[in-house]
Amino acid sequence: MTCKNPECGKHIEKRKSAKRCYCNDRCKNRAAYIRRKENWHEVDAHNKVLKTNYRILLKLKNLNLGPISMQTLQSHGFVFTATHKDVVINYNGQNETVSLLYDIYYIIENKHLIFKD
């Protein structure tokens, strides 16, 4: 019998336990990782884009620039097609619909991104 890890393929000696499919735990874990990567490729790619957008927004928010133009965001590599969650928050005594990316609240008005805290 051979190891079921597609990257390994070593021969496994037959022993009492006929259930053994991998040569060691490392091969078993690696095969599971490869399987997950294949099945969840689209989700991982989307999460990567969201994390990149988050880093960009966090960097710009920490600079306290005020409203940030769409052109500035685009030049930093912000991906506008990545969907962010819209939520309703109480801002200055009024309910307002804002976009949420992890812990950053913002709105887009007149082609400018405005942070809401």
Side-chain angles (χ1 to χ4, degrees):
M1 177 183 226
T2 59
C3 180
K4 288 190 177 180
N5 180 359
E7 296 176 348
C8 179
K10 290 182 183 175
H11 180 72
I12 301 173
E13 294 180 23
K14 260 196 166 181
R15 296 186 182 175
K16 287 183 179 180
S17 174
K19 296 178 184 178
R20 189 170 179 188
C21 299
Y22 302 95
C23 56
N24 57 33
D25 286 341
R26 184 175 179 216
C27 275
K28 181 180 176 184
N29 293 337
R30 180 67 182 168
Y33 172 78
I34 291 168
R35 220 175 19 257
R36 279 192 310 273
K37 280 299 209 187
E38 290 172 357
N39 294 339
W40 292 92
H41 173 69
E42 291 152 4
V43 174
D44 290 341
H46 182 70
N47 286 338
K48 186 176 180 180
V49 170
L50 289 179
K51 287 178 185 177
T52 302
N53 282 355
Y54 178 73
R55 281 189 222 110
I56 293 166
L57 289 181
L58 189 62
K59 180 174 70 171
L60 293 172
K61 183 180 179 185
N62 289 336
L63 294 174
N64 294 324
L65 300 173
I68 300 166
S69 71
M70 296 296 176
Q71 186 177 4
T72 302
L73 288 170
Q74 189 175 12
S75 68
H76 281 274
F78 191 84
V79 179
F80 294 101
T81 57
T83 57
H84 303 135
K85 187 176 182 182
D86 287 339
V87 296
V88 177
I89 62 168
N90 188 344
Y91 187 72
N92 292 335
Q94 294 183 343
N95 288 339
E96 191 170 348
T97 302
V98 297
S99 294
L100 171 68
L101 182 59
Y102 299 120
D103 62 342
I104 298 177
Y105 296 94
Y106 65 92
I107 60 170
I108 296 178
E109 284 183 354
N110 302 326
K111 296 186 178 184
H112 284 78
L113 183 136
I114 303 167
F115 294 107
K116 297 288 185 176
D117 290 327

